[in-house]
Amino acid sequence: THGAARQSHLMLLLCLVSTAACNMFAFTEEPPERAVKGDGYCSRILQAQSSRKEGNSEFRLRVEGDPESYQPGSTYRVTVIASSPSYFRGFTLIALRDGAEGDRDEDYAGNFQIIDEEETQFMTNCPPAVTESTPRRRTSIQVFWTAPPSGSGCVIIKASIVQKRIIYFQDEGSLTKRMCEKESLFGDVTDKPLLDCCACGTAKYRVTFYGNWSEKIHPKDYPRRTNHWSAIIGASHSKSYVLWEYGSLSSDGVKQIAELGSPVKMEEEIRQKGDDVLTVIKMKAQWPAWQPLNVRAAPSAEFSVDRSRHLMSFLTMLGPSPDWNVGMSAEDLCTKECGWVQKVVQDLIPWDAGTDTGVTYESPNKPALSPGKIRPLTSLDHPQSPFYDPEGGPITPVARVMVERIARKGEQCNIVPDNVDDIVADIAQEEKEEDDTPETCIYSNWSPWSACSSATCDKGKRMRQRMLKAQLDLSVPCPHTQDFEPCMGPGCSDEDASTCMLSEWITWSPCSLSCGMGTRSRERYVKQFPDDGSLCSLPTEETDNCVVNEECSSSSCLVTEWGEWDVCSATCGVGMKRRERMVKMPPADGSICGAEVLEVEKCMMPECHTIPCMLTPWSPWSDCSVTCGKGSRTRQRMLKSPVELGECTEEIEQVEKCMLPECPIDCVMSEWTEWSECNKSCGKGHTIRTRVVKLESQFGGDTCPEAIQRKKCKIRKCNRGQANSDEKKRRKEQREKRRSKQGAAEVATEHLGCKMRPWSSWTECTKLCGGGIQERLMTVKQRFKTAQLSSCKDRKEIRACNVQPC
């Protein structure tokens, strides 16, 4: 019976290659319900193997991000890949609990989800397994796998491959992935310390924040103008107070930092906690987000901890962003040995506060309808996310934080004493604080050391300062207030270099020449970067001269190595391929180089046959290319059939026009006229100037500004009393004088060869209020032969009207 079942299963697998075998198997297969429950068919999939080939590297099963462990309930992308030029026609994918045989339902771990139903489907006789929809040549398939709940233990994901008549099924190797349940890191809540702190005295720490969120390291959609870190806010606190934690909702203080970058509300929340907080941690905002350490020192702050308040938390927003932050939550600085942690270095990835639904740095403000829980961002959150990675890899850290112990006070009670270096470090700190400063000189504390003036390994200087607060005895001189010491750029000193761990040198490469003097090189790589976040300055590559066959014949020639073979000239059937190499040095005696520089050979591609174009459905239309007016939009579809099976002439992209509301048009005004004469001949008057509307605003554009302006003018004081009658008399004389001049001008105009019509009536005012204009015309009635063109032309006058405010 077992032999018959084994034979039937092999026939099923071979049906992936042979349709006849499939038809034969269809008559012997038992009903699916019985096969699943009573016949243990899934377990027979695991046992059936033919031409087993261990250690095969052509095919590989990969889980997104290559994790060593899985997060319960999380979803991962699982891919089966064939390295070029290999391919496979069929496959089976299954996930089992470690050590299970596969003959019971509870042996299977997690659940698969189909991504493309035309590529993959669940196996009819074994529902937990995934197989191909149609047997054909393929180089990869993808499905989703949702991890089982917490407490499921280790899981093994296995793949079998059907290539031609060979079945690969590896219990260990590239087609098997074993993962165990991940310890809770980003669970429902942040891990709380399990034990109360038993340390004695207090400890003082310095926290330093190294932001490495830059366009070079995170190039996708990096905001160039307003990138910054908000002010850092945090505290050393007790277990009963939580500033923020994964899996919880954001407080008002966290929300204000996450969305606005303001620490005000968060600081208010911290200070309201009273005895639960020992030190408030504050650092200034950083604009721009990243600058070299020799330009701007990394921000730092000092804080203290004691037995009841031994946790440290902080957060800062990276801006612009919807609600993205980095920080540490409830970092425990108390050790199980009743001592104080000496140093903590941690790389930070951004997390989402759950208060906004934006997916890009500069997404518009979209408050979440219902607040979400604080969670770490992942590379599969959204295709438009700047951290998106279709392979599901880890997010590159955007910052590094270093917490260093700088002093201890009070009696210590470590079960295990600190190492010698640690003790010396504390003693040195105390000794450094004791100097030869006279008691009559009162100083402030020394500032932190500045960044080194040299960013390279050349010698530079760094400086610290203190302020002289008081000099109690002027006869006793006070020492300097500035202190300098030599330094070099990050990673250059012996002390810094010791933290930069490098691998051993890789063996020398072959000599670049096969005859005579050439070069060779070797490399090593950085295993661990310095703790301060700087780059390693130690060399990672070396080059050396090498000699091969010093007595090279004068008639020999030097040629390069063969290049790669060209692509086969045929897409199907028999074709040709070629490769070349070049002459680097011809023979010294001037003869022709006899070495072959071109090789040609036949290549065989799959048999030629045509198939209809297999295309995916059209994607949705893209957004219009403009925000107003006329634009265009596109949609695409993809070719699903392999290229080598024939050419497809169907279009895979379409473009069409689109129309959005008209673009706003702003009002356009003419230039201002010259200021008019004062309207009074004495005393206080006013003068005006005007401009006209050349183009009215449309479709919500900026409205037209004022068209008339007036300002005061004062010529001279007017005389009072009798002088008034004299003034009226003088004005009357001036009016008569102007009239006579105007009449003379008209006569003169006629005398110059022009006869003008009288002035026309003033036109209606262009505005009812707010300042408009009127105009009138005097046109030429008759032009005599003696008239000059420049002196005989139409005239126009303009004046302001309806100047009262609207």
Side-chain angles (χ1 to χ4, degrees), residues 261-281:
S262 171
V264 176
K265 185 66 177 178
M266 186 82 253
E267 183 176 354
E268 181 183 325
E269 290 178 358
I270 292 173
R271 295 192 183 279
Q272 288 176 351
K273 291 300 176 180
D275 292 339
D276 282 329
V277 173
L278 182 58
T279 308
V280 179
I281 300 171

Side-chain angles (χ1 to χ4, degrees), residues 66-358:
D66 294 325
E68 296 299 325
S69 54
Y70 67 86
Q71 182 71 33
S74 295
T75 299
Y76 300 86
R77 190 189 305 267
V78 178
T79 309
V80 178
I81 308 169
S83 58
S84 180
S86 299
Y87 63 90
F88 56 94
R89 296 184 179 275
F91 74 95
T92 303
L93 195 60
I94 203 160
L96 285 171
R97 297 180 188 274
D98 194 9
E101 296 295 331
D103 52 0
R104 300 177 302 167
D105 289 344
E106 54 267 27
D107 288 351
Y108 298 91
N111 298 290
F112 287 108
Q113 299 170 43
I114 302 299
I115 297 177
D116 187 344
E117 293 183 354
E118 296 186 9
E119 285 284 335
T120 54
Q121 66 179 10
F122 291 106
M123 184 172 279
T124 305
N125 301 75
C126 181
V130 176
T131 187
E132 73 290 335
S133 294
T134 55
R136 62 176 180 82
R137 291 165 60 101
R138 50 173 56 83
T139 57
S140 68
I141 62 97
Q142 292 185 356
V143 297
F144 285 131
W145 176 72
T146 301
S150 180
S152 299
C154 297
V155 174
I156 298 178
I157 302 177
K158 296 182 177 185
S160 65
I161 292 295
V162 179
Q163 192 180 31
K164 292 180 181 177
R165 293 183 177 275
I166 302 174
I167 302 172
Y168 301 105
F169 196 101
Q170 293 179 280
D171 291 330
E172 295 179 2
S174 59
L175 286 174
T176 297
K177 178 72 175 178
R178 183 177 187 270
M179 297 187 297
C180 293
E181 184 176 340
K182 190 175 187 178
E183 295 181 5
S184 178
L185 178 60
F186 304 130
D188 293 335
V189 294
T190 305
D191 289 340
K192 296 286 185 67
L194 299 178
L195 302 175
D196 290 332
C197 180
C198 58
C200 301
T202 63
K204 190 174 184 180
Y205 287 88
R206 178 182 294 114
V207 54
T208 307
F209 182 85
Y210 299 94
N212 59 353
W213 175 50
S214 67
E215 186 174 11
K216 182 178 180 181
I217 301 176
H218 304 86
K220 183 180 179 185
D221 298 335
Y222 187 79
R224 297 187 178 183
R225 294 186 180 180
T226 58
N227 59 83
H228 67 282
W229 291 106
S230 73
I232 296 174
I233 184 70
S236 57
H237 55 92
S238 67
K239 293 190 296 182
S240 59
Y241 174 47
V242 177
L243 275 75
W244 69 272
E245 62 180 353
Y246 290 113
S248 68
L249 297 177
S250 296
S251 67
D252 291 339
V254 173
K255 179 179 180 180
Q256 195 177 84
I257 291 176
E259 295 188 359
L260 306 176
S262 171
V264 176
K265 185 66 177 178
M266 186 82 253
E267 183 176 354
E268 181 183 325
E269 290 178 358
I270 292 173
R271 295 192 183 279
Q272 288 176 351
K273 291 300 176 180
D275 292 339
D276 282 329
V277 173
L278 182 58
T279 308
V280 179
I281 300 171
K282 300 169 67 175
M283 289 178 256
K284 292 183 178 180
Q286 301 174 77
W287 295 76
W290 184 88
Q291 282 186 334
L293 291 175
N294 62 327
V295 176
R296 180 183 69 200
S300 63
E302 295 181 358
F303 65 94
S304 298
V305 292
D306 60 18
R307 176 178 288 189
S308 61
R309 294 159 292 189
H310 52 96
L311 306 179
M312 188 275 284
S313 303
F314 79 88
L315 72 160
T316 174
M317 176 196 77
L318 67 161
S321 71
D323 56 348
W324 299 343
N325 309 258
V326 299
M328 300 179 78
S329 176
E331 183 68 25
D332 194 353
L333 299 175
C334 183
T335 67
K336 295 179 181 179
E337 294 77 22
C338 303
W340 298 109
V341 173
Q342 184 174 348
K343 190 174 187 179
V344 176
V345 178
Q346 186 171 319
D347 289 324
L348 306 176
I349 63 170
W351 47 269
D352 190 321
T355 61
D356 193 288
T357 59

Side-chain angles (χ1 to χ4, degrees), residues 274-554:
D275 292 339
D276 282 329
V277 173
L278 182 58
T279 308
V280 179
I281 300 171
K282 300 169 67 175
M283 289 178 256
K284 292 183 178 180
Q286 301 174 77
W287 295 76
W290 184 88
Q291 282 186 334
L293 291 175
N294 62 327
V295 176
R296 180 183 69 200
S300 63
E302 295 181 358
F303 65 94
S304 298
V305 292
D306 60 18
R307 176 178 288 189
S308 61
R309 294 159 292 189
H310 52 96
L311 306 179
M312 188 275 284
S313 303
F314 79 88
L315 72 160
T316 174
M317 176 196 77
L318 67 161
S321 71
D323 56 348
W324 299 343
N325 309 258
V326 299
M328 300 179 78
S329 176
E331 183 68 25
D332 194 353
L333 299 175
C334 183
T335 67
K336 295 179 181 179
E337 294 77 22
C338 303
W340 298 109
V341 173
Q342 184 174 348
K343 190 174 187 179
V344 176
V345 178
Q346 186 171 319
D347 289 324
L348 306 176
I349 63 170
W351 47 269
D352 190 321
T355 61
D356 193 288
T357 59
V359 296
T360 67
Y361 291 126
E362 299 181 276
S363 291
N365 186 30
K366 294 181 180 178
L369 296 178
S370 58
K373 294 181 179 180
I374 297 175
R375 64 172 185 86
L377 294 181
T378 73
S379 60
L380 288 172
D381 285 339
H382 195 282
Q384 293 181 1
S385 166
F387 305 106
Y388 180 72
D389 177 6
E391 296 294 327
I395 290 180
T396 303
V398 296
R400 171 176 288 185
V401 65
M402 181 185 301
V403 182
E404 299 175 282
R405 196 183 75 205
I406 56 177
R408 290 174 293 176
K409 293 182 180 179
E411 182 179 352
Q412 303 297 308
C413 55
N414 303 33
I415 298 172
V416 178
D418 285 340
N419 58 52
V420 174
D421 291 338
D422 190 26
I423 295 171
V424 170
D426 282 345
I427 294 174
Q429 179 74 23
E430 294 173 4
E431 290 177 350
K432 203 164 191 177
E433 292 174 357
E434 297 177 4
D435 53 27
D436 298 328
T437 303
E439 294 181 358
T440 56
C441 299
I442 309 301
Y443 288 95
S444 66
N445 293 329
W446 285 106
S447 68
W449 286 104
S450 68
C452 190
S453 62
S454 171
T456 65
C457 290
D458 296 331
K459 288 187 177 179
K461 289 183 178 180
R462 63 176 185 168
M463 180 192 73
R464 62 177 183 170
Q465 294 178 310
R466 60 181 176 178
M467 184 174 65
L468 179 62
K469 292 183 174 180
Q471 188 173 356
L472 304 181
D473 187 349
L474 298 179
S475 63
V476 178
C478 292
H480 57 276
T481 58
Q482 291 185 333
D483 190 13
F484 296 87
E485 72 174 18
C487 61
M488 290 186 289
C492 294
S493 66
D494 293 338
E495 181 179 348
D496 289 341
S498 65
T499 63
C500 181
M501 295 179 58
L502 298 174
S503 67
E504 297 296 326
W505 287 105
I506 299 173
T507 55
W508 289 103
S509 66
C511 197
S512 60
L513 297 180
S514 58
C515 180
M517 176 72 73
T519 59
R520 62 177 184 170
S521 63
R522 65 176 182 173
E523 298 177 346
R524 58 181 175 178
Y525 61 90
V526 179
K527 296 174 67 176
Q528 178 179 322
F529 285 92
D531 293 336
D532 62 1
S534 61
L535 299 175
C536 286
S537 61
L538 299 176
T540 58
E541 185 174 353
E542 282 186 351
T543 304
D544 190 20
N545 295 329
C546 54
V547 178
V548 179
N549 190 11
E550 292 183 7
E551 300 177 357
C552 292
S553 170
S554 61

Side-chain angles (χ1 to χ4, degrees), residues 569-587:
S569 61
T571 57
C572 61
V574 180
M576 303 296 292
K577 64 179 181 179
R578 51 181 282 173
R579 65 176 181 174
E580 297 178 353
R581 59 180 176 180
M582 298 176 61
V583 177
K584 297 178 66 176
M585 184 184 296

